[in-house]
Amino acid sequence: MKIKKNFSPASLLAVSVLLLILILKTESASNSDGFLERHVNRKLFSTDSDAAYSGSEDSSAEVNSMMHDAHEPLQSHSECSNTSHGGSNRFPVATVNWQRVSNPYIIALWIIGAGMVKILFHLLHKVVSRVPESCVLICFGLIVGGIAYSINKNHRINELLFNPDTFFLFILPPIVMEAGYFMPKEPFLENLGTILTYAIIGTIFNALAIGGSLYGVYQAGWMPGLDEFGKLDILHCLLFGSIISAVDPVAVISVFEEIHVNTILYICVFGESLLNDGVAVVLFKVFEEYIKIGVCNIIAIDIAAAIASFFVVAFGGLFIGLIFGYVGSFITKFTVHNRIVEPTFVFILCYLSYLTAEIFHLSGIIAIVFAAFTMSSYVEHNISSKSHTTVKYGMKMLANIAETIIFMLLGISAVSDFWQYWNTGFVLWTLFFITIYRAIGVVVLTFMVNYVRLDKINKVDQFVMAYGGLRGGIAFSLVSLTSADHVPTIKTMICACIVAILFTSFVQGSTIRPIVELLKVKTADKHKISMFEDINLRLIDHLMAGIEDVTGHHGHHYWMAKLHELNTKYLAKIFTRDPYKSRNEELLETFHRINKRDAEEIVQEIEKGNSYGELAANGTFANLLMPLEMRKSYSQASFSNMIRQRGPSEACIDMHAFEAHDTDRNDATIHHLLEENMYKPRSRETTRYRRGNIDDDSERKKQETEIFLRHKLTLRRRPKHYKHKHNKHKSRTSSKTPSPLTAGSKNVLKPNNTASSLYNERARLLLAPSFSQPQMKDENKSTKPSSNEPDEGITFSVPTKKMCSKNGWNFVRDPLGFLSSFETLPEEPASDEEVEETGTTQVDSSVALDRELPWKRSNETEQAVCDPHNTAEPSKSYEPETSHSGQLWPCKSDTADKEDGEKANTGETPAKEMITINIHGVDEWDKMSEDRV
Amino acid sequence: MGSRASLHLQDDEITAIQQETGFLPNQIIRLFSRFTCLDKEQNGFLTRDDFSRIPEFAINPLAQRIVDTFFVESEDHLNFRQFMRTLAHFRPCTPKTPHEALNSRDNKLRFVFSMYDYDHDNKISKEELLQILKLLVGSNISKEQLSHIAERTLLESDKNNDRNITFDEFKTVMSRTEIDHKMSVRFLD
């Protein structure tokens, strides 16, 4: 086990257990007999339950008793002051007021404890990766509960956190809010009918069927011994049925997320389990009311009222949710200058929607789900990307904590005295019925739904749906909130509920994964959607809407089109700051995303240490060449070149230009861009939003060591005669090398030298040696270690200094551009050193920035980025070329003949006086690329 | 409505259409009533004007292209048979659907392809792509932007490097998309 090897997890465990025991102790203060306990309780945590002290709790007594051990005299004084309390109170030097902070303090400790358990879980996860997180949390809760129980049978941890108020007002909202916010919009709306069918009809069916069957079985006398605990009423059964029919999203979703089941299955289960919580709560309240009224007193009007109230509650919640969602979207429209409050609005307005709905006894769950759902559509466009990250993280964090608390409490509550109310018959029947009715419900409803659906839900999906019906926190909360006054057999029900939760979580939860794999459930195609595919999909959407119009039957394409129209035409205009500029904003977003992805891929490849040879070896070479021009322009646009390109030329390819309005030609934006673009590949690991599953950063560590090594090497290899004020960023490329820019490229590609010479070996073999060798021969015989050929092969494409300095833009058109696109360098105009320096700094972001010491780093960056030279100069100095570079894209796109363009370019290159060897290389590459293509 | 419409529809016509398109008789009758409903002049065929009168087409950016797909080139009249043949592309299909059926995956894709392929040369050129993009995205986007997108699209899809997208390339691009149900409409019985 990992823990044994590692000290820190063990200590973590110890600390968290200690913490929890501390909490326990705090809470276990009620009338204990043992002297020690009493002593401890009285002195340390003098709680209100201690009759002798509770009334006379004043601060000085507290502080003194706290200092009991250390300051004996003081204690006597405290005794004295205590007995004569109210009399001669001296001014206290320091006071302790535990009472005042006890509750929030304990809650805070709980959260910390929960967080630590999370950490623990991930350490454990390596060992027991098959077990869902919820199980581990429950187990941990069981352990703590066991300890608590053995210390004090009457600890009241549960009551503190697990009363109706805290649960419904604090623990539940974050969970559903998060779910609503991250609900995939389009699939949800497309499958809304199906989801609602499952959630509403399914839940009601389950509640009634389970309740009715339990009652039937009870009447038939197949639950021996239940009568000892109290009478079971039909309403009690129905209440229990409605409690136990709430399927918990948490457990299932985490499993589904991991396996990437297909969207339809995912969204159906997700949506269903989310909304059926709301339904179950409503049902629960209905039956609770009925029990209060009494089964004999219920008349038809009550039933009608219940049905009516059901709709009122559900649609009222929806309405309030939408209102708050839109209000939130609208408010965030005006937060340009107050970025910091943006997340607040999102969180608080969601929460307010919940509270507001609760005021009117509407479904808070539905309200908050839809508030978050609505907001997520618009807020994203309004708030800054950082705020958005905050919102996303905040949601995840809150939900995660709430979830952890629920599961742990569940475990703790499971160790309690209600097991003496155990009734085997009731428990087993419950298990039986929840399983069987879940299956029946799913099959029957799917049959109904499939009649309407075009893409039918198949048998396997149905099975997974039925099997994924795990019970969780909500059921347990509801059942433990029911008072024994109304339902005499509630303790038995709690037993049954806990067993059901444990059974479903452990048995089904841990087997669902193998089963999904075994049944070959269609998993979501995770392939990254290509530009053309996206265009096609949009086209098809419109086409289908059109066809539905022609046939005159308004199917879901029609409604989706309507919705889309409504959204872009009106809602988006009202609720987003800069309304969609086009009818198909998503298309542009896809384009933007693809741009970014290209760039990231390249950086990742490079950071991983893959050379081009490596890429070629992987067969991605063709791909590499394919989007060659795109890469050239896009990837670079995303890196250093973007800055330059955006400065002087309008031919900016990157969609940033599109999104960020025109005022972005200043340093701040450049800085922003840099930050956004340069750190991406490294921070990607940590910004993946999956609740409770953050990838380990071993990758990063590897990178860091790599960078460190590179740095070392760079230092070592830096030629003496190379003088540059920013020479930190320079590697050894020297005056001899045509362009100092190569330095950057070498930095970037340094992994070849250091991290794995294997790469080089392979790369060298695979990469056309013809151009790496000339390079070797000519250019770098002096400095390079032998394992550097791939680098050479790559750097060869760097144009001569002359060309670079004269016409950095032109070079982009060089067919070798795809090579340079990796280096990003050849296009760096070397006209003046500042500019080029900027380029270097920006290009090998990770290298240049990270190999610096942190404090220096920021400075360096700023210097590089904010130096007026860097930004102002380039634009000035390239002014003459602006027109030319402006043509860059149109040229490419309009000539519509890449071949020609390339040829022209190759023709051009010699004219530009490239080193002859380079020309060789060019031709070589050209041929190669053409062959490949 | 349905009864009146069916008056014009002979039984043998229904069977013929059924054989050709796979629609059920009820669906054919229902669609025929729709057909006559669209046919404002009651002359037995549809014109482009008839289509443009469909209110929702006003908000469909691709309305014109969709109408074009109904009409065989340079013809202004669309009879019911042709109408049905076009609609048959959108019948739901299963993996068992024969390859040559109108609603097969291939034919569905072919249909989409033909929406791009304005000049019927079995290739999507950049200009054709641009036109569709323009329709899809609207006029707020600069020409350069669109051109970039088109270029990008072409580059990633064009495998044989002829600056055009052939049907095969198109199919490759769409090979991982669930065209089957995306391009299906539920025709009422």
Side-chain angles (χ1 to χ4, degrees), chain A residues 746-871:
Chain A
K746 273 161 196 161
N747 277 348
V748 174
L749 295 162
K750 206 59 57 65
N752 292 334
N753 312 332
T754 62
S756 54
S757 54
L758 192 81
Y759 277 141
N760 302 318
E761 237 2 78
R762 255 163 79 196
R764 196 166 56 84
L765 289 171
L766 289 158
L767 197 73
S770 41
F771 39 86
S772 53
Q773 273 157 6
Q775 192 71 20
M776 272 283 285
K777 242 192 285 166
D778 182 81
E779 196 185 342
N780 283 303
K781 34 192 143 175
S782 52
T783 42
K784 283 245 165 169
S786 60
S787 62
N788 270 336
E789 290 99 29
D791 282 3
E792 307 317 308
I794 291 140
T795 42
F796 80 93
S797 67
V798 172
T800 56
K801 192 182 236 163
K802 195 171 174 186
M803 179 195 161
C804 235
S805 53
K806 260 199 179 153
N807 204 345
W809 295 111
N810 203 13
F811 185 73
V812 185
R813 290 216 252 150
D814 189 284
L816 289 170
F818 74 92
L819 291 176
S820 53
S821 78
F822 286 96
E823 304 166 11
T824 21
L825 287 160
E827 295 170 48
E828 310 233 9
S831 55
D832 59 347
E833 285 185 338
E834 268 80 22
V835 177
E836 151 224 316
E837 190 47 54
T838 324
T840 326
T841 321
Q842 289 148 0
V843 169
D844 35 354
S845 60
S846 56
V847 183
L849 295 179
D850 286 315
R851 70 170 178 228
E852 309 294 351
L853 294 169
W855 54 89
K856 279 191 184 172
R857 186 190 302 164
S858 57
N859 236 352
E860 207 67 56
T861 333
E862 249 168 77
Q863 196 187 352
V865 175
C866 300
D867 189 344
H869 263 307
N870 292 338
T871 49

Side-chain angles (χ1 to χ4, degrees), chain A residues 513-532:
Chain A
R513 193 187 176 129
I515 282 180
V516 165
E517 280 161 4
L518 194 75
L519 290 176
K520 299 199 173 54
V521 173
K522 208 163 68 183
T523 47
D525 45 343
K526 294 301 279 182
H527 77 278
K528 292 161 182 167
I529 193 161
S530 69
M531 193 68 226
F532 195 35

Side-chain angles (χ1 to χ4, degrees), chain A residues 238-255:
Chain A
L238 290 173
L239 181 81
F240 183 66
S242 64
I243 289 167
I244 206 77
S245 60
V247 177
D248 184 52
V250 177
V252 192
I253 289 312
S254 59
V255 175

Side-chain angles (χ1 to χ4, degrees), chain A residues 633-675:
Chain A
S633 16
Y634 291 138
S635 60
Q636 288 179 351
S638 306
F639 302 124
S640 61
N641 247 29
M642 172 198 294
I643 289 127
R644 220 157 302 102
Q645 288 206 349
R646 298 183 69 178
S649 81
E650 278 306 310
C652 169
I653 293 92
D654 195 273
M655 295 299 288
H656 280 302
F658 184 76
E659 289 188 336
H661 340 262
D662 315 303
T663 55
D664 49 6
R665 256 150 237 176
N666 50 34
D667 300 356
T669 324
I670 291 168
H671 185 71
H672 182 66
L673 279 172
L674 271 178
E675 223 167 48

Side-chain angles (χ1 to χ4, degrees), chain A residues 426-443:
Chain A
F426 189 80
V427 170
L428 289 183
W429 281 116
T430 306
L431 276 184
F432 175 71
F433 285 132
I434 60 168
T435 318
I436 201 83
Y437 284 121
R438 172 80 189 168
I440 292 175
V442 167
V443 171

